[in-house]
Amino acid sequence: MLETRNLSSGYGAITVLWGVNLTFREGALTAIVGPNGAGKTTLLRTLTGLLPYTGDILMGGKPLKGKTWDLAAQGLVMVPEGRLVFRDMSVEENLCLGAYPERCRADLAANLERMYAFFPRLKERRHQLAGSLSGGEAQMVAMGRGLMAKPRILLIDEPSLGLAPVIVNEVFDIIRKLKADGTTIVLIEQNTRIALQVADDLHLMRSGKVILSEKAAGIDLNRLHDLYFAREG
Ligand code: ATP
């Protein structure tokens, strides 16, 4: 469904990604893990049209073209970390912002109800200011806003960041439900244990390269940690 071939990118003269080859299968949950500075966020920024690159990004076999907003209209939707909600707007106003692609606006009410089915807590709090939410609830708003754009692929950046373990479990229960509903998900995550539990496919990145690509079911957590924490050189 989404594929990168020999993808390199970075910031001006600084190359961060070095010839990355990745395949994200339709309907699967693909996790990308890696230590700080591995290039996970740079990969997301590149996939969502925020950074220039060399190599190819293909969606459905065709080169992906356009800026971030065009890509969302085509179904490639990014969920940033939960702290990036609009604090002075209500929960529902935040959620409706996700429905800006033309194809999502016609049936806004039905779209909202479909999304609230995943996030009943957000329905209860729909008139509350987003700035007054807990970290876990704000993460749910970020994910709900992504769902409102009717994604073909949902790219979720570090959903466990800064959340207490019990809340992380709650957020991942919802991610499991989204997957069961057939959503194709790309998950960037530092928490290797939970990534391994939830993923179908897993890629480990280090220093801007992919050093392991396997089905999650075949990966042993200790082996993953050995590769994750191995010293450079
Ligand atoms: P983390 O989990 O810490 O966010 P990451 O795997 O997402 O790590 P990136 O944020 O993609 O890693 O960073 C990869 C490299 O790119 C790092 O060496 C970082 O210093 C560099 N980098 C990130 N943003 C910029 C920028 N705006 N300008 C220059 N270099 C940058």
Side-chain angles (χ1 to χ4, degrees):
M1 156 154 257
L2 183 67
E3 203 181 329
T4 73
R5 288 194 197 146
N6 203 21
L7 181 69
S8 296
S9 78
Y11 306 89
I14 304 168
T15 301
V16 174
L17 298 183
W18 299 87
V20 168
N21 295 304
L22 291 167
T23 302
F24 304 106
R25 294 184 295 126
E26 182 152 19
L29 194 160
T30 304
I32 298 182
V33 300
N36 289 122
K40 306 181 296 296
T41 303
T42 303
L43 174 67
L44 270 196
R45 287 188 189 136
T46 309
L47 290 175
T48 51
L50 295 172
L51 291 175
Y53 62 88
T54 61
D56 298 303
I57 304 176
L58 307 173
M59 188 151 89
K62 297 194 186 111
L64 203 58
K65 288 210 178 80
K67 290 287 175 199
T68 313
W69 48 90
D70 302 317
L71 299 180
Q74 292 166 50
L76 188 74
V77 174
M78 159 99 162
V79 175
E81 54 168 289
R83 279 176 300 181
L84 298 177
V85 295
F86 293 97
R87 300 177 60 80
D88 296 331
M89 294 168 71
S90 74
V91 166
E92 192 155 288
E93 285 166 341
N94 267 276
L95 292 167
C96 287
L97 283 177
Y100 69 89
E102 194 70 40
R103 65 190 162 76
C104 306
R105 278 184 240 151
D107 60 346
L108 189 62
N111 197 3
L112 265 174
E113 283 312 314
R114 190 182 63 96
M115 183 274 313
Y116 281 139
F118 287 101
F119 302 98
R121 180 115 52 101
L122 296 187
K123 188 168 189 180
E124 284 165 26
R125 292 171 193 255
R126 62 189 185 276
H127 300 306
Q128 193 171 320
L129 283 185
S132 66
L133 296 175
S134 71
E137 289 162 352
Q139 181 61 46
M140 289 176 199
V141 170
M143 293 199 294
R145 191 172 55 192
L147 267 198
M148 291 295 289
K150 297 192 178 166
R152 289 175 64 198
I153 305 181
L154 201 57
L155 307 172
I156 311 180
D157 193 14
E158 302 260 6
S160 71
L161 200 72
L163 302 182
V166 58
I167 310 296
V168 171
N169 288 338
E170 214 176 302
V171 166
F172 272 85
D173 282 345
I174 292 168
I175 292 176
R176 284 191 183 91
K177 278 190 198 146
L178 292 175
K179 180 186 146 184
D181 194 49
T183 312
T184 303
I185 299 174
V186 177
L187 170 73
I188 304 285
E189 188 48 70
Q190 288 221 14
N191 184 330
T192 45
R193 185 183 298 272
I194 204 152
L196 203 52
Q197 280 170 7
V198 78
D200 298 301
D201 301 334
L202 185 137
H203 304 283
L204 171 62
M205 289 185 69
R206 284 191 55 152
S207 308
K209 294 181 181 153
V210 177
I211 63 164
L212 177 81
S213 291
E214 283 183 22
K215 295 252 179 277
I219 300 175
D220 170 67
L221 186 62
N222 290 328
R223 179 167 69 97
L224 182 61
H225 280 175
D226 285 347
L227 291 167
Y228 191 104
F229 294 112
R231 292 174 65 118
E232 297 291 332

